[in-house]
């Protein structure tokens, strides 16, 4: 009894003397002209729930302790105000901003995009819905500093400042997406933009909260599958759009309802389309021969033969169809202190893999007409994912502890590659993740501490499995603290992460000499365990040197251990037409050795400086960055080639179907550049925006890194008149001639896009009709960051027609 009383007393002292009742605080949100602002978000600090202002700008929120209200609305500056239980009423005036300002959920400290120490972009609302593409890469690639890997429009992942794959973490509500998009560029991510409330892109290292896999940045997809606000009636939205270029139809629906604190959520997206059309482009004479030519292994006889080959042209990219269905179900209870919820999501997607040919086999690459059975097509991916998530948040409201939150997730992912109706290779990833956080206030310091756990079981089985099955487990502790000193906000952070990788593979049969063909290699994988401790530190600050203006500086040092593909690859990667070897292997003459003794962590030393002006008719955001990376993992071209018939041999001649051998190495590298976004309000009806980015990425030996995105410069003009809004955008992608020794240059191109939105009311519901005109001039463009740039240029002219309704 004594122990039970002691535990109860300890709990009571932590929770504090919270009253049994909750007072009601009413208020009104207005602009500088005292006009009401609707749909402003009013959030009670330390709690997960929030309320919205109505069409009169009015709101009511329950208050059970003296606290702080955080009021936010897109295109207005955030406002924070201290309130008491006895106050009764509060009036809040929001100031408009010339640069979009949105609360960033992935910031962990309830900051908006103009308050962050590190640069961030946020897409939300109708702008996000209108720009939504089948993949995150295509949705986000127009943002400064962001590009796409582009394995066709249905498999395209984000590139942040030249970094992608293992260095960019894709999360959904803060938990890893847990697909296989990091393994290869032909593996699509499983997040759909249409189901999202907003998409946040954190540039630069975000390892403190999200782990060593975020050494280059984070893309966080925020949705409401677990509702955290009280929903009092049935509400929802529906969307339909049609793309003429690929004959794609997309349907999306959202339904939410609630009663007495209990909430329900459903969203679903269905998308089906065929191959996409392009302006006429010259087909490579032979995919493998062309690859060898790019890597300077083409003999003079071969070159002469290629010149005599008649050039063939195409105006569509075969095998780029998509047939996708996904949905999310969620429920929650939102009380005064406790929020608890659960969700389940399902993804079923088939999509074509362009330029996917099997080394040493004959294949018919003809793509079936839309509507025929996909099982008769060359190669396509079948992705299935089941995702469960849970959320618990308790608002404590003691003098020092504000809230405790727990997010857990389990994902069962499968990516099967289907050829002629048969399963060739299956990639699986089962992931369990947990994130426990405690938000607190100690004196003048406000921050969060947390524990982060992840356990991922990855398996690859089949003839194209070039990586072994691996278990990767991480345990991490992190802390993020901030303090205000007048006009300056200081932010400090640290994370320590225990990283464990364990591969259970059959012992590699070491490369043996074959006197007839030089050498031969039997695929196999090594059993290997790796354990490292990754330490990440950051310091940053934001100085508000004038009203509506600030400068942010962030300095971080982040460590990362290699993933399975970087460390243990050993086999043909069909998608990239290469033979890949990991860091653990060494090639010496006719021998292949597994020697992982000297593996060192990749360490990023990153500096960000941002200048922002977000009030008045002129606003801008300019980011300068410098990233000095020690032991940067990259793929280097070796002096070897591989073919199934002749095996692995020195590339002093060539064979039909042979592919170059690339090996992961580590070397110091530097990536630096700038990105900017400037707005000017011409009138109450018109504004113009100039945006762009520039990136240089080199190894310490002064060689350029491969597939670095082209620099871009764009101009966007928006005009609004009554219910109609029109946008005209011109984006120029510059010629990329800063290339690796084995790459070819990529010509520049200019994309011209237009869009029209019309708001109207139909049967009491708000409606939006929209038309997007993409690539109006039908420009032929090749993406330098793509592995298959010559086989898959960008889509030609497209008209997207859509209608969206809210109720």
């Amino acid at each position: 009894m004594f122990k039970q009383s002691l535990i109860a007393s300890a709990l009571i002292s932590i929770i504090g003397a919270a009253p049994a009742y909750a007072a009601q605080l009413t208020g009104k949100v207005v602009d500088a002209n005292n006009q009401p602002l609707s749909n402003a978000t009013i959030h009670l600090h330390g709690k997960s729930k929030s309320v919205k202002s109505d069409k009169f700008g009015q709101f009511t929120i329950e208050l059970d302790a003296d606290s702080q209200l955080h009021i936010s609305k897109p295109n207005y500056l955030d406002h924070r105000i201290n309130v008491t239980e006895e106050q009764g009423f509060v009036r809040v005036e929001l100031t408009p901003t010339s640069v979009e300002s949105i609360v960033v959920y992935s910031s962990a400290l309830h900051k908006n995009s103009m308050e962050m120490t590190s640069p961030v972009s946020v897409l939300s609302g109708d702008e996000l819905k209108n720009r939504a593409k089948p993949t995150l890469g295509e949705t986000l690639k127009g943002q400064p500093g962001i590009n796409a890997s582009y394995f066709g429009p249905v498999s395209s992942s984000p590139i942040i400042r030249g970094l992608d794959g293992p260095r960019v973490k894709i999360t959904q509500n803060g938990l890893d997406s847990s697909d296989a998009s990091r393994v290869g560029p032909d593996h699509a991510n499983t997040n759909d933009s249409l189901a999202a409330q907003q998409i946040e892109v954190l540039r630069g290292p975000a390892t403190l909260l999200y782990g060593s896999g975020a050494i280059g940045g984070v893309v966080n997809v925020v949705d409401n599958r677990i509702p955290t606000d009280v929903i009092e009636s049935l509400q929802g939205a529906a969307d339909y759009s049609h793309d003429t270029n690929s004959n794609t139809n997309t349907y999306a629906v959202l339904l939410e309802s609630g009663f007495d604190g209990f909430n329900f959520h459903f969203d679903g997206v269905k998308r089906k389309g065929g191959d996409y059309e392009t302006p006429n482009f010259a087909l490579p004479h032979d995919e493998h021969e062309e690859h060898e030519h790019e890597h300077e292994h083409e003999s003079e006889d071969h070159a002469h033969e290629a010149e005599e080959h008649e050039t063939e042209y195409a105006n569509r990219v075969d095998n780029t169809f998509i047939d996708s269905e996904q949905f999310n179900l969620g429920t929650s209870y939102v009380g005064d202190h406790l929020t608890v919820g659960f969700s389940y999501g399902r993804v079923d997607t088939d999509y074509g893999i362009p330029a996917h040919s099997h080394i040493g086999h004959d294949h018919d690459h003809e793509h079936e007409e839309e509507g025929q059975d996909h099982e008769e097509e060359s190669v396509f991916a079948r992705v299935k994912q089941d995702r469960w998530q849970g959320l618990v948040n308790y608002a404590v409201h003691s003098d020092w502890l504000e809230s405790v939150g727990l997010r857990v997730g389990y994902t069962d992912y499968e990516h099967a590659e289907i050829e002629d109706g048969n399963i060739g290779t299956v990639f699986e990833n089962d992931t369990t993740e947990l994130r426990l956080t405690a938000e607190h206030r100690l004196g003048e310091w406000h921050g969060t501490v947390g524990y982060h756990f992840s356990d991922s079981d990855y398996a690859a089985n089949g003839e194209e499995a070039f990586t072994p099955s691996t278990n990767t487990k991480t345990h991490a502790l992190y802390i993020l603290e901030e303090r205000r000193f007048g006009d300056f906000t200081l932010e400090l952070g640290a994370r320590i992460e225990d990283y464990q990788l364990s591969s259970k593979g059959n012992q590699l049969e070491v490369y043996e000499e074959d006197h007839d063909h030089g050498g031969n290699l039997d695929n196999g994988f090594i059993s290997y365990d790796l354990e490292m401790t990754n330490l990440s530190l950051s310091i940053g600050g934001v100085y508000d040197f004038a009203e509506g203006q600030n400068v942010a500086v962030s300095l971080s040092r982040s460590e990362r251990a290699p993933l399975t593909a970087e460390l243990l690859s050993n086999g043909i990667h069909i998608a990239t037409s290469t033979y890949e070897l990991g860091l653990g292997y060494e090639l010496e003459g006719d021998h292949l050795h597994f020697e992982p003794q000297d593996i060192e962590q990749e360490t990023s030393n990153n500096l960000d400086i941002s200048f922002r002006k977000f009030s008045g008719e002129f606003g801008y955001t300019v980011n300068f960055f410098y990233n000095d990376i020690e032991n940067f993992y990259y793929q280097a071209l070796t002096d070897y080639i591989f073919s199934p018939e002749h095996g692995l041999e020195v590339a002093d001649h060539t064979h039909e179907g042979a592919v170059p051998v690339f090996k992961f190495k580590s070397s110091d590298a530097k990536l630096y550049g700038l990105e900017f976004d400037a707005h000017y309000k011409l009138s109450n009806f018109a504004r113009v925006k100039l945006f762009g980015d520039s990136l240089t990425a080199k190894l310490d030996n002064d060689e350029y890194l491969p597939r670095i995105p082209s620099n871009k410069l764009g101009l966007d003009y928006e005009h609004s008149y009554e219910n109609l809004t029109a946008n005209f955008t011109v984006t120029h992608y510059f010629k990329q001639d800063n290339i690796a020794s084995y790459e070819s240059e990529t010509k520049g191109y200019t994309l011209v896009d237009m869009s029209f939105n019309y708001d109207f009311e139909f049967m009491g519901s708000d409606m939006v009709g929209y038309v997007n005109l993409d690539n109006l001039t039908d420009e032929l463009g090749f993406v330098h960051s793509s592995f298959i740039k010559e086989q898959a240029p960008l889509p030609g002219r497209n008209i997207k027609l859509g209608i969206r309704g809210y109720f």
Side-chain angles (χ1 to χ4, degrees), residues 417-631:
E417 295 188 355
I418 316 295
E419 181 181 7
D420 297 327
N422 299 313
I423 297 177
T425 306
V426 177
F427 301 88
E428 297 176 317
N429 192 17
D430 293 343
T431 302
T432 302
E433 188 173 9
L434 178 150
R435 185 184 298 276
L436 177 65
T437 60
E439 189 174 346
H440 58 267
R441 188 175 295 275
L442 300 174
E444 298 297 322
W445 289 91
H446 170 228
T448 183
V449 296
Y451 166 71
H452 185 200
F453 168 78
S454 177
D455 187 349
S456 174
D457 279 313
Y458 165 79
N461 298 291
E463 60 181 10
E464 296 177 18
F466 61 97
T467 56
S469 299
T470 310
N471 175 262
T472 305
K473 188 177 296 184
T474 62
H475 299 267
L477 296 173
Y478 61 87
I479 183 170
L480 186 64
E481 301 289 332
E482 68 171 3
R483 181 176 175 178
R484 186 85 175 176
F485 298 89
D487 294 328
F488 177 74
T489 301
L490 175 66
E491 184 178 292
L492 304 173
R495 176 187 177 105
I496 186 166
E497 176 183 275
D498 177 55
Y499 179 90
Q500 303 170 23
L501 181 148
S502 178
S503 169
K504 308 298 181 187
N506 55 299
Q507 185 71 22
L508 178 70
E509 294 184 19
V510 179
Y511 178 73
E512 296 176 352
E513 187 173 350
D514 185 316
H515 297 288
D516 294 329
H517 299 302
N520 207 347
L521 178 68
D522 294 330
N523 273 23
F525 300 113
I526 290 292
S527 297
Y528 179 68
D529 293 320
L530 173 70
E531 184 168 359
M532 287 183 169
T533 300
N534 300 317
L535 177 65
S536 298
L537 302 169
S538 74
I539 180 171
V542 179
Y543 175 49
D544 300 311
F545 60 89
E547 185 177 355
Q549 298 183 65
N550 66 32
V551 58
V553 179
S554 176
L555 181 63
S556 63
R557 179 177 175 85
S558 306
E559 295 179 337
R560 181 176 80 89
L563 297 187
T564 305
E566 297 167 309
L567 181 63
L568 301 173
S569 292
N570 177 30
I572 295 177
H573 192 172
I574 300 296
T576 60
S577 297
T578 61
Y579 192 100
E580 294 188 6
L581 287 173
L583 288 163
Y585 293 98
E586 293 295 336
L587 274 167
E588 296 179 5
D590 291 340
H591 297 280
L592 179 67
H593 302 285
F594 185 69
E595 300 177 352
Q597 290 82 5
D598 299 326
I599 304 299
E600 296 185 28
Q601 288 146 310
E602 182 180 277
T603 303
S604 169
N605 303 284
N606 188 81
L607 172 66
D608 263 295
I609 303 176
S610 300
F611 297 91
R612 307 169 181 138
K613 183 179 184 300
F614 42 90
S615 64
E617 296 183 347
F618 175 62
Y620 57 80
T621 300
V622 182
N623 306 319
F624 298 92
F625 64 92
Y626 184 87
N627 197 357
D628 188 344
I629 305 179
E630 304 168 15
N631 303 313

Side-chain angles (χ1 to χ4, degrees), residues 246-439:
S246 57
N247 195 29
T248 298
N249 293 301
T250 303
Y251 309 83
V253 65
L254 165 70
L255 292 172
E256 293 182 330
S257 186
F259 174 75
D260 199 22
F262 290 93
N263 307 298
F264 171 79
H265 170 96
F266 170 81
D267 69 71
V269 178
K270 178 176 176 59
R271 181 181 283 109
K272 186 171 184 179
D275 297 340
Y276 74 91
E277 297 177 349
T278 71
N280 274 2
F281 69 100
L283 287 170
H285 302 308
D286 180 89
E287 289 182 19
H288 307 306
E289 292 173 359
E290 184 71 9
H291 202 114
E292 292 162 2
H293 175 70
E294 289 180 9
H295 294 72
E296 300 185 350
H297 288 307
E298 188 173 20
S299 66
E300 291 183 5
D301 292 340
H302 191 159
H304 179 70
E305 181 183 332
E307 288 176 4
E308 295 180 347
H309 196 288
E310 183 179 354
T311 302
E312 296 183 13
Y313 292 86
N315 59 8
R316 75 168 58 237
V317 178
D318 290 342
N319 205 28
T320 54
F321 73 89
I322 187 169
D323 188 351
S324 175
E325 295 181 2
Q326 56 181 284
F327 69 86
N328 297 297
L329 288 168
T331 185
S332 68
Y333 169 76
V334 180
D336 292 335
H337 287 267
L338 179 66
T339 298
V340 58
F342 174 80
S343 72
Y344 167 73
R346 173 74 177 180
V347 176
D348 283 287
T349 299
D350 290 356
Y351 67 89
I353 305 176
H356 196 290
S357 58
H358 290 249
I359 310 301
H361 298 276
D362 295 326
H363 294 280
D364 178 12
H365 292 282
E366 275 188 40
H367 184 71
E368 303 287 339
E369 294 296 324
E370 186 186 358
Q372 293 186 347
D373 193 347
H374 295 323
E375 291 187 350
E376 299 177 4
E377 296 168 356
S378 299
V379 178
F380 70 93
R382 174 162 291 162
V383 174
K384 296 182 182 295
Q385 185 184 75
D386 293 293
R387 186 173 177 88
W388 292 265
Q389 284 190 359
L391 165 69
V392 179
N393 190 86
Y394 188 78
V396 180
H397 275 316
S398 73
D399 292 338
W400 61 277
L401 184 61
E402 294 185 340
S403 66
V404 177
L406 174 68
R407 279 192 179 272
V408 294
Y410 175 76
T411 303
D412 182 0
Y413 169 90
E414 180 182 286
H415 171 113
E417 295 188 355
I418 316 295
E419 181 181 7
D420 297 327
N422 299 313
I423 297 177
T425 306
V426 177
F427 301 88
E428 297 176 317
N429 192 17
D430 293 343
T431 302
T432 302
E433 188 173 9
L434 178 150
R435 185 184 298 276
L436 177 65
T437 60
E439 189 174 346

Side-chain angles (χ1 to χ4, degrees), residues 28-317:
K28 185 174 184 179
V29 184
V30 297
D31 61 15
N33 298 317
N34 202 34
Q35 295 300 306
L37 292 176
S38 62
N39 288 318
T41 301
I42 298 91
H43 171 253
L44 186 62
H45 194 65
K47 291 194 175 184
S48 62
K49 71 175 182 178
S50 59
V51 297
K52 299 280 188 180
S53 59
D54 61 20
K55 63 181 179 180
F56 303 109
Q58 297 174 347
F59 67 90
T60 301
I61 192 167
E62 292 183 342
L63 200 67
D64 53 18
D66 295 351
S67 187
Q68 185 183 78
L69 288 184
H70 180 193
I71 302 95
S72 61
K73 181 176 171 63
N75 300 319
Y76 287 84
L77 294 179
D78 284 24
H79 190 74
R80 290 174 172 84
I81 183 171
N82 294 322
V83 292
T84 65
E85 292 181 80
E86 296 80 18
Q87 193 160 347
F89 178 84
V90 62
R91 179 181 177 276
V92 181
E93 182 179 311
L94 296 184
T95 304
T97 174
S98 55
V99 177
E100 189 172 41
S101 175
I102 300 177
V103 174
V104 181
Y105 288 89
S106 52
S107 71
L109 296 177
H110 316 291
K111 293 189 173 184
N112 67 50
S113 51
M114 293 297 104
E115 298 172 324
M116 297 280 289
T117 56
S118 57
V120 62
S121 295
V122 182
L123 272 180
S124 64
D126 283 337
E127 181 184 13
L128 169 59
K129 305 304 182 188
N130 294 346
R131 292 190 182 189
K133 303 289 185 182
T135 60
L136 289 179
E138 294 304 288
T139 300
L140 297 170
K141 69 179 183 180
Q143 301 295 307
I146 305 170
N147 291 276
S149 59
Y150 199 74
F151 216 88
V154 294
S155 180
S156 182
S157 296
I159 298 175
I160 302 177
R161 294 176 172 177
L163 301 177
D164 63 348
R167 298 177 179 91
V168 172
K169 177 159 282 193
I170 311 296
T171 63
Q172 183 266 320
N173 292 332
L175 297 180
D176 200 318
S177 292
S178 304
D179 49 38
S181 58
R182 291 176 159 190
V183 177
D186 59 322
H187 293 194
N189 50 63
T190 55
N191 303 92
D192 197 288
S193 304
L194 278 176
Q197 290 180 323
Q198 65 187 49
I199 300 178
E200 306 164 348
V201 182
L202 278 65
R203 300 178 183 85
T207 57
L208 293 177
L209 295 177
Y210 298 100
S212 57
I215 202 167
V218 166
V219 178
N220 185 40
V221 180
V222 181
D223 61 32
N224 200 40
R225 66 179 63 186
I226 301 180
T228 55
D229 296 334
V230 175
I231 303 172
E232 297 180 344
S233 61
L234 179 65
Q235 59 190 38
D239 191 304
Y240 166 76
S241 65
H242 176 77
D243 288 82
T244 60
N245 181 288
S246 57
N247 195 29
T248 298
N249 293 301
T250 303
Y251 309 83
V253 65
L254 165 70
L255 292 172
E256 293 182 330
S257 186
F259 174 75
D260 199 22
F262 290 93
N263 307 298
F264 171 79
H265 170 96
F266 170 81
D267 69 71
V269 178
K270 178 176 176 59
R271 181 181 283 109
K272 186 171 184 179
D275 297 340
Y276 74 91
E277 297 177 349
T278 71
N280 274 2
F281 69 100
L283 287 170
H285 302 308
D286 180 89
E287 289 182 19
H288 307 306
E289 292 173 359
E290 184 71 9
H291 202 114
E292 292 162 2
H293 175 70
E294 289 180 9
H295 294 72
E296 300 185 350
H297 288 307
E298 188 173 20
S299 66
E300 291 183 5
D301 292 340
H302 191 159
H304 179 70
E305 181 183 332
E307 288 176 4
E308 295 180 347
H309 196 288
E310 183 179 354
T311 302
E312 296 183 13
Y313 292 86
N315 59 8
R316 75 168 58 237
V317 178

